[in-house]
Every structure is written in C-alpha cells, then in structure tokens.
Amino acid sequence: MLTGLDHLVVTVTDMGRAVDFYSRVLGLDVRYRDAQRVDLMLGDTALRLHQTDTDIAPVSATPTPGSLDLCLRCQLPLDEFKQHLDALAIDVELGPVARQGANGPIESIYLRDPDGNLLEICRASSR
C-alpha cells in the first residue's frame, strides 16, 4: 500500500528566513514551485514551506509555526555537524545523546529553526 513520504508541510512565518535557514544551515536544496510554495529537498522527499499569511488550500485544521518535531538523518559525524552549527552561531539545545531511531540506535543533537520547530539531527549509532 504506502511506500514512503513524498513531502511534509512546514508552516512558517517568514518564507525568506526559513529558506535561508534550511538551505544555509542544513544544506537543503531549494526548489521554488510558485510565489507561495517552496520545496526544500531532502533526498527524494521535500519539506514544503507554507507561509502563514498565504491563501493555500487545503491545509491542516490548525497550521501553526513552531509545532513541528522532525528528525533528519545526517551523513557527517555529529561532532562535525555540530562544528558547522557552531560556525554559524546556531545553538544546540541538547546532544549528542543516544536515542532510538526508526531502524535502530542513533545519536542525536537538537536545535530549533527560526519558527521554533524542534529539529533532531541524527546519525546511526553502533551502540
């Protein structure tokens, strides 16, 4: 039946600020679909940005910036990714810490995007 995730909508208050963060800080490729929709590519999956004051339908019942809790896989060792964040003056709230991922043990660090969404950056762990 279902085979995977095509896209996930992220509600944001400022499209430009969100695009800058996700492209500059997280390295996602940007695809502009139209004036109101931007896709940030994560492999073959998109984080689709919708700004709160645009008229896009349909949307969730209560689209709310800052309500997302998302875990993204990282190829780099987390210490290297943390150095990248430090160089950009991006605060890490927690980590690295051991967690359980969808397919086994992971190590994670936690940070927030400009709207306050919680982003967990993880890497498979041998623990």
Side-chain angles (χ1 to χ4, degrees):
M1 286 183 72
L2 302 180
T3 60
L5 181 65
D6 181 78
H7 69 275
L8 176 72
V9 174
V10 180
T11 303
V12 301
T13 56
D14 182 316
M15 185 72 75
R17 185 175 68 168
V19 167
D20 175 66
F21 176 85
Y22 281 94
S23 62
R24 184 175 53 87
V25 175
L26 299 184
L28 302 186
D29 291 328
V30 180
R31 290 188 188 164
Y32 292 91
R33 297 186 50 224
D34 58 38
Q36 297 179 343
R37 293 185 190 127
V38 176
D39 286 352
L40 301 161
M41 300 309 298
L42 185 63
D44 64 353
T45 303
L47 295 182
R48 183 161 291 163
L49 302 181
H50 286 188
Q51 190 164 305
T52 54
D53 59 357
T54 58
D55 189 22
I56 297 174
V59 297
S60 63
T62 52
T64 308
S67 63
L68 186 66
D69 184 340
L70 182 64
C71 183
L72 304 170
R73 292 187 197 116
C74 184
Q75 292 179 334
L76 294 175
L78 289 185
D79 289 342
E80 284 183 38
F81 191 78
K82 190 172 179 318
Q83 289 173 3
H84 164 73
L85 295 173
D86 290 344
L88 296 173
I90 302 296
D91 292 330
V92 171
E93 285 193 18
L94 180 66
V97 293
R99 295 288 191 246
Q100 182 63 33
N103 297 299
I106 58 175
E107 194 171 46
S108 299
I109 57 176
Y110 294 84
L111 59 139
R112 295 201 182 264
D113 77 359
D115 286 296
N117 292 301
L118 181 64
L119 303 176
E120 178 180 355
I121 309 299
C122 77
R123 183 176 165 125
S125 173
S126 59
R127 295 179 190 182

